[in-house]
Every structure is written in C-alpha cells, then in structure tokens.
Amino acid sequence: MICRQVLYMRWDMPKISLDVIDRKILAALQRNGRLSNVELADEVGLSPSPCLRRVRLLEEAGMITGYHAALDRAGVGLGLTIFVGVKVERHHEEEATAFREAVQALPEVVSCHLVSGEADFLLQVVVPDLTAYEQLLLGTLLKLPAVSDIRSNFAIQTVKDRAPLPLDHLEAEAR
Amino acid sequence: MICRQVLYMRWDMPKISLDVIDRKILAALQRNGRLSNVELADEVGLSPSPCLRRVRLLEEAGMITGYHAALDRAGVGLGLTIFVGVKVERHHEEEATAFREAVQALPEVVSCHLVSGEADFLLQVVVPDLTAYEQLLLGTLLKLPAVSDIRSNFAIQTVKDRAPLPLDHLEAEAR
DNA sequence: GCACCTGTCGGCATATCATGCCATAAGCGA
DNA sequence: TCGCTTATGGCATGATATGCCGACAGGTGC
C-alpha cells in the first residue's frame, strides 16, 4: 500500500498527504497547468480515473490554489517592474492594516510581503513606463496611510521569474 | 471592424495587436487558466470557434507564455520565503554571468532580478525551514561566483502574491 | 487462516469539449 | 457599388471529462 504523509491540515480542509504520485501531479501541473487529464495520467503512471480523483482532492485540500495563464509583461505593454521597499510608522497597527488594504486594492502592485530587515513591506509593482510609475509613486504610494519612507529598485534584467516551487524536499520523507 | 493595436513585435513572432476581446481573454485566463474554451467564449462574448482561434494566436504570439498551477507553499511544506539581496563584485562580467547561471540551476530560487539600488540582484528563495535556509545560504549562496555581500529579508506575512497583471492601461488606447 | 473493511485502482458509458472546415457578414479601398 | 480582406458562427468529428461500477490489495479482528 502506498503511504501518504500528512503535511498540512486546516479545520476547513480535508486531511491530505502527499505520496510519490501526488508530487508528480503537482510538479506536472506547475509546469503545464493545462495538461489534459489523460496526458497527466499518462505522465504520472495512472489511468485517467484515479488521476482526476487525486487532482480534485489536491484542489479541495487547498494544495492547488488555482490555475493561471502567465503573460509576457512586455507583450502586454508592462515594460517596468519595480521592487519597492516601504517603511511604515511604528505603533500604528490600525494604519498598517489600512496600508495593507490599500495595497490589496492597487492593481499595479502584484505582490506585497511584510518582511524583516530594512523595509517593512516589500512590494512588486508593474507599470507600463516611468511616467506611470511617477504617477503611482507620487500620486498614490507616498500618500498611503502610515508610510514614512519608500525606496524603489528598478528591475533591469529578469534572470529567473516565477520558477516552479521545488518539491524535492518531500522526496526523502515520503516512501 | 474591430481594430487591434500593435503593442509588441519580435522577428520570430507573428504581429499581434490587442483589442477589447483579447484583453478580456487575457484577463479571464489570468484569473482561471483552466477555463474551458466554451466557458471562455461565453465570458468574452464570442462563439467557441473564434475564441479558440484568438487564444491560439495569443499563445503563438508569445503573449501567453504558459499555464501553471499555483500551489499552497505551506501546504507543500515550504514554510519559508526569503527575499535575498545579493551584491556582486564589480568589473567581473564573466563572473556575473556565472552567477546568473548558478542561480538558474538552484530550484530554491524561484525568481531573480538584476536591480538598481543597494543590491545588485534580488532573489526570492523558498525553503521548508530555517535549517534548510542555513544550508542554502552557507553552503551554496555565499559560495556563488563573485558574491560580495548577501542580505536576507524574511517574509513574515504575505499581503498579496502573484496578483494578475493589470491590463487597464490598454483600455484607453484601444478602440 | 479466514472473513471483513477500507482505500485505491482501472474500465466503461455518457455528456461535454476541442478543433478543423466552410459559408457568411462586416469593414475598407477602388 | 463591387470586390477583397478579416473575423465570425455553425457544424461534424474525434478527443476528453466525469460519474459509476466492480476488482484488488493491505490491514484488522476473530
């Protein structure tokens, strides 16, 4: 019998564990999210029925949070990527929450993390050009609640982007 | 006739332009990359045939670079995300190239950009835990070619991640 | 050792979908 | 107004998704 290992559990999601085949499925769908179930089944060494069942379970368990088309940024006219470090004033938790909500609502901000170190928040911003960034920075970012300092780092070259998550660390543990 | 606007062109890709429907398609597939063609066609207000044709064109034109499943990082046991600023020694272009190639080969590094500002490269690293990061930092990153300084910023909270690219800037230009 | 239970597999039937082909409608220039 | 170009929609066919069934293997208790 193939033994699956419980790695993650929340009250609102079914228990799940990842065996060798589940990891193959996750790796394959990271690489190509539009694989047909037949192709996927063939790739992981199952017949279509149990393969589809596993995919559905992984989705319901929250392991797979979604499927997304990746676009060419330059292609759609978004030539500038900027990593923005934001410092917020201390002792203003309610304002920090307001900051988070404001950031959520900004479509140009494609990711935002609370981080340790120099900055408090690290954002990734995507805009068509410098003019657009100027408007965003002066017109919006600097006016966000509790912001005390902003540092912009322009992406000059993309060496690697959105690479698949490494799943090798599961290899050793699962049988 | 609906007029499309040429935004991006490379010698090896067919000319393409994006009209209102194309933008709806891109937006929909960013949101859900596994939409069936029938659902997509319904959403953008076309019948399946021309809809599929447009999707294929967008793929061939390089606008859509791929489809990928998004995984829950904690769910697959990758609890730690770190933003790593790396400084490299100047005047060593060949070593900087070696650095880029080394980074490409590291599965824990999910993205890497050459940036302006304090650091030269900004990496996003994903590992299971602090022990794994210690090994990666001491055993690998610090030994990479031409590296002179490394600064690690740990992600404490994810406010927003991998949000869809904003396509609103195309609205005004296209008819 | 045997019966039973549980979990997973593979096969099958059916509804849905992808995809290529063709006729048609709408814009554009002569 | 007449063609030419381009995109659309419908249709036929082959492929796919999906739910249901029985089979089978591992584990458990008698």
Side-chain angles (χ1 to χ4, degrees):
Chain A
M1 183 189 180
I2 296 172
C3 184
R4 300 193 187 181
Q5 178 191 18
V6 176
L7 278 169
Y8 185 54
M9 202 188 311
R10 250 180 27 209
W11 68 269
D12 61 340
M13 42 175 67
K15 302 177 189 179
I16 200 157
S17 45
L18 299 175
D19 65 4
V20 190
I21 296 180
D22 288 322
R23 279 181 286 117
K24 283 188 189 174
I25 290 176
L26 294 178
L29 289 179
Q30 276 199 107
R31 202 161 11 84
N32 181 3
R34 284 209 82 137
L35 273 177
S36 80
N37 184 51
V38 173
E39 293 168 312
L40 181 62
D42 184 61
E43 192 162 322
V44 304
L46 277 181
S47 66
S49 294
C51 181
L52 184 64
R53 220 171 306 146
R54 279 169 180 262
V55 172
R56 292 288 171 267
L57 281 174
L58 290 168
E59 289 169 357
E60 284 162 24
M63 288 291 170
I64 298 175
T65 59
Y67 301 87
H68 309 281
L71 307 188
D72 182 302
R73 293 192 179 184
V76 296
L78 293 167
L80 261 190
T81 298
I82 307 111
F83 297 94
V84 184
V86 177
K87 281 191 192 178
V88 298
E89 291 153 17
R90 304 292 167 179
H91 319 301
H92 291 270
E93 185 46 47
E94 66 287 351
E95 290 196 352
T97 302
F99 173 78
R100 275 189 282 265
E101 284 168 5
V103 157
Q104 299 261 24
L106 290 178
E108 296 93 342
V109 178
V110 296
S111 72
C112 170
H113 295 262
L114 177 62
V115 294
S116 69
E118 289 259 325
D120 294 312
F121 290 96
L122 192 56
L123 323 194
Q124 186 178 164
V125 172
V126 175
V127 287
D129 49 38
L130 256 181
T131 308
Y133 186 61
E134 179 198 339
Q135 289 182 12
L136 180 72
L137 180 63
L138 301 181
T140 309
L141 292 182
L142 281 168
K143 294 179 180 171
L144 287 182
V147 167
S148 72
D149 187 33
I150 286 190
R151 217 150 281 205
S152 304
N153 293 50
F154 289 80
I156 298 166
Q157 182 190 56
T158 300
V159 178
K160 195 174 189 177
D161 194 28
R162 298 197 188 199
L165 297 181
L167 301 177
D168 319 313
H169 64 288
L170 300 172
E171 297 291 333
E173 313 166 20
R175 286 153 286 258
Chain B
M1 180 193 180
I2 297 172
C3 185
R4 301 191 184 180
Q5 179 191 17
V6 176
L7 278 168
Y8 185 55
M9 203 190 310
R10 249 174 35 202
W11 67 270
D12 61 339
M13 42 176 65
K15 303 178 190 180
I16 200 158
S17 45
L18 299 175
D19 66 3
V20 190
I21 298 180
D22 288 323
R23 278 181 285 119
K24 283 189 189 174
I25 290 177
L26 293 178
L29 289 179
Q30 275 198 107
R31 204 161 10 84
N32 181 2
R34 285 209 78 138
L35 274 177
S36 78
N37 183 51
V38 173
E39 293 168 311
L40 181 61
D42 184 62
E43 191 161 324
V44 305
L46 276 181
S47 66
S49 294
C51 181
L52 184 63
R53 220 169 309 144
R54 279 168 179 262
V55 172
R56 292 287 172 268
L57 281 175
L58 290 169
E59 290 168 356
E60 285 162 21
M63 289 289 168
I64 299 176
T65 59
Y67 302 87
H68 309 281
L71 307 188
D72 181 301
R73 293 191 179 184
V76 296
L78 293 167
L80 218 46
T81 298
I82 307 110
F83 296 94
V84 185
V86 177
K87 282 192 193 177
V88 299
E89 292 154 16
R90 303 291 166 179
H91 318 302
H92 291 270
E93 186 45 47
E94 67 285 350
E95 289 195 354
T97 301
F99 173 80
R100 274 189 282 264
E101 284 168 6
V103 157
Q104 299 262 24
L106 290 177
E108 297 93 342
V109 178
V110 297
S111 72
C112 170
H113 294 262
L114 177 62
V115 294
S116 69
E118 290 257 326
D120 294 311
F121 290 95
L122 192 57
L123 323 193
Q124 185 177 165
V125 172
V126 174
V127 286
D129 49 39
L130 256 182
T131 309
Y133 186 61
E134 179 199 338
Q135 289 181 11
L136 180 71
L137 181 62
L138 301 181
T140 308
L141 292 182
L142 282 168
K143 293 180 181 172
L144 287 182
V147 167
S148 72
D149 186 33
I150 286 190
R151 218 151 279 207
S152 305
N153 293 49
F154 289 79
I156 297 165
Q157 183 190 55
T158 300
V159 177
K160 194 175 191 178
D161 195 26
R162 296 193 186 205
L165 297 182
L167 301 178
D168 320 311
H169 64 288
L170 300 172
E171 297 292 333
E173 315 167 20
R175 289 151 285 257

